[in-house]
Structure formats: structure tokens, C-alpha cells
Amino acid sequence: MAKKLKVYNDSPVTVCFALLALVAFALDTFVLKGKLLASVLTCPGGKVSSPSFNFSSAADYIKLLLHVFGFSSWNAVFINSLFVLMLGPELEERYGSPVLALMLAVSALVTGVLNACLSPAPVFGASCVIFTMIFLTGMTDLAKKHIRISWIFIFVFYITYQFYSVYSGNDVRLSLPASNSFLLFLKKNAVTFISLAGGICGSLFGFLVSPKKRSAPRKNFDDTELESEGSSSPSKSSFFGKKHSLLKKAEKARKSSSNDETVIGTISL
């Protein structure tokens, strides 16, 4: 009979994160008409930001974590979900679901706090989460004393996309007049740099947390059988141990006799 095709969730944290982002954006777009992004899924910036973070409001503290599920366009939500689904499963297999979820939460919290204190614009989106995954993947390669060129392309492509979103008008968080000033460049991309810092902080757990242990390789069938039978009872252990040693001695004697002795003929009596 043909085996049935099984579909299983290999990375629950990664899949749930991408689904929550897609559902939140669809709900905000078709039902709430942008109210969810503005009121819940955006973390306010510093004093010069509009809106600015209110340290006496409990709702603003919740936004320090929930801002990673906020997106302003279908283009942004699809690209970010694609990067999450591409990078997350390998990391979730290596570190485990609880540890990866903790790393992403730390990244979101650090990004929200830095943005509330320093940024001239509010922050939303999964940039810090993706940067965390990118850096964790790089740490995995560095532990093996090499780095993949595909990792370099992923990092360059994503950070280029972040800068492009600001200057192309796809990012609505900050609108400043165009200029060649380096200070203005830092202001326009402050959210990107803060997300980058949050990703670095979240990925630092990769140095502190050991990867999840994989299952040990299966032993030889004969050895496993002898060990299991031997551990079942002392009498069986001694019996199979003697039998195993006798078989080895007989095999050794047969080899030595075949190598050292030469048969000349036979004598019949």
C-alpha cells in the first residue's frame, strides 16, 4: 500500500508569526480601515515624534512588543513574511521553539525601547525580527568556521530593501525633504538602524544558549540486541556475554588455522 502524505508543522513559532502578521494586516485593511495599525501595532517614537511615546500609558508599553506585527502595505507584509519563513525553520530546529520565541521577543522589546527613547519616528514591522534571524544564521556559520555567500546576499538584499522603502515612499513613518546631508540620512533611516540594533541584541542569545541536542545515532543492531538482552536479567547477560566471547575465539582460531596450516593429504584407517 502507498504511504499517506503527511503534512506537519515543523516550525510553529515561525509559521504562527507569519500567519499573525498576515491576519492582522488583512483585518486592518478590510475591516478596521487602518485603525489597528495606528492604535495598537505601532510603537511611538521619542519626544520629537508624532505620536510620541507616553510613559504613563499602559497601552504604549504593550506596543513595545506588538509593533512587529504592524505593516502598512501588502508589499511589506509579503516580503517580511517570506524572509521569516525562509530563515525561521532552520533556527527553530537548532535552538528550539521556546528559545527562538524568547529571542524574537527580546529583539522586539529592545527595538521598541530604543525607538521610544531615540527615534524621531514611530516604528512598526518585523525588521528587527528578520535581522535577529539573519544574525543567528550567521552565528551558526561562524561556529563552523565558514560563512555562506547566500547569507551575505540575504543580509545585503534585506537592508537594501529597508533603505529603499524609506526613499521610495513605501515607508510612511517618516517624511523629510531629500538632501545629501549625512545627518539627514541618519534621521530618515533611524528606524532601520534601531531595528538593526534590536536584531543584534536579540541574536546575542545565540552565544549564551547552546543549540538543542539532536538524537544520538542508532547503534548497531547486534550490539543493541546484546545490550538490551543483557540488561534485562543478570543470567541472560552472563550467558550472552560468554556466547559472544566464545564466538569471537572460535572465529579467531579458524582464521589463524587457515593462515598457518597447510593440508597435504588425508590418511584413512
Side-chain angles (χ1 to χ4, degrees):
M1 294 179 63
K3 293 184 178 180
K4 294 182 179 180
L5 179 65
K6 294 182 179 180
V7 179
Y8 67 99
N9 189 357
D10 60 331
S11 49
V13 172
T14 303
V15 174
C16 288
F17 184 93
L19 285 177
L20 284 174
L22 288 170
V23 170
F25 181 75
L27 180 64
D28 191 38
T29 302
F30 297 114
V31 179
L32 300 176
K33 306 301 180 181
K35 294 180 181 179
L36 184 63
L37 177 64
S39 59
V40 179
L41 302 181
T42 297
C43 180
K47 293 181 179 180
V48 298
S49 172
S50 180
S52 59
F53 192 86
N54 185 3
F55 290 92
S56 60
S57 173
D60 280 7
Y61 287 97
I62 299 176
K63 298 175 185 178
L64 294 175
L65 289 173
L66 295 183
H67 66 87
V68 294
F69 297 107
F71 295 94
S72 60
S73 66
W74 283 108
N75 181 39
V77 71
F78 279 135
I79 289 179
N80 283 270
S81 298
L82 179 63
F83 272 95
V84 169
L85 292 172
M86 180 175 58
L87 297 170
E90 180 183 352
L91 296 173
E92 198 161 347
E93 181 183 1
R94 179 175 175 81
Y95 293 100
S97 299
V99 175
L100 181 63
L102 178 62
M103 292 182 191
L104 301 186
V106 169
S107 173
L109 181 62
V110 171
T111 301
V113 170
L114 291 177
N115 196 79
C117 297
L118 304 174
S119 177
V123 63
F124 55 82
S127 302
C128 60
V129 168
I130 296 174
F131 280 130
T132 298
M133 291 183 173
I134 290 174
F135 290 133
L136 283 173
T137 305
M139 290 178 187
T140 303
D141 290 340
L142 289 176
K144 299 176 182 177
K145 305 299 182 182
H146 68 260
I147 188 167
R148 291 175 285 184
I149 193 171
S150 59
W151 180 89
I152 298 175
F153 278 114
I154 289 173
F155 177 75
V156 172
F157 284 162
Y158 188 72
I159 200 169
T160 302
Y161 165 74
Q162 289 298 108
F163 291 141
Y164 170 78
S165 298
V166 174
Y167 288 98
S168 65
N170 295 330
D171 196 325
V172 297
R173 290 173 288 196
L174 186 62
S175 58
L176 294 173
S179 174
N180 293 326
S181 170
F182 180 69
L183 182 61
L184 187 58
F185 171 79
L186 292 179
K187 288 182 178 180
K188 287 179 72 70
N189 296 282
V191 173
T192 300
F193 290 122
I194 288 175
S195 299
L196 188 63
I200 293 173
C201 292
S203 63
L204 288 179
F205 277 88
F207 288 109
L208 305 176
V209 180
S210 59
K212 186 174 63 173
K213 292 183 179 180
R214 301 179 184 270
S215 57
R218 191 176 178 182
K219 291 184 179 181
N220 223 356
F221 176 76
D222 295 335
D223 296 338
T224 308
E225 185 179 6
L226 285 174
E227 287 179 6
S228 61
E229 291 177 349
S231 59
S232 60
S233 63
S235 59
K236 288 185 178 180
S237 175
S238 59
F239 173 74
F240 282 104
K242 290 179 180 178
K243 183 178 180 181
H244 193 61
S245 61
L246 288 173
L247 287 174
K248 283 186 175 180
K249 289 180 179 179
E251 182 68 18
K252 186 176 180 181
R254 186 184 64 81
K255 288 181 179 179
S256 61
S257 61
S258 61
N259 293 333
D260 299 338
E261 297 177 359
T262 303
V263 178
I264 299 175
T266 58
I267 299 175
S268 59
L269 298 175

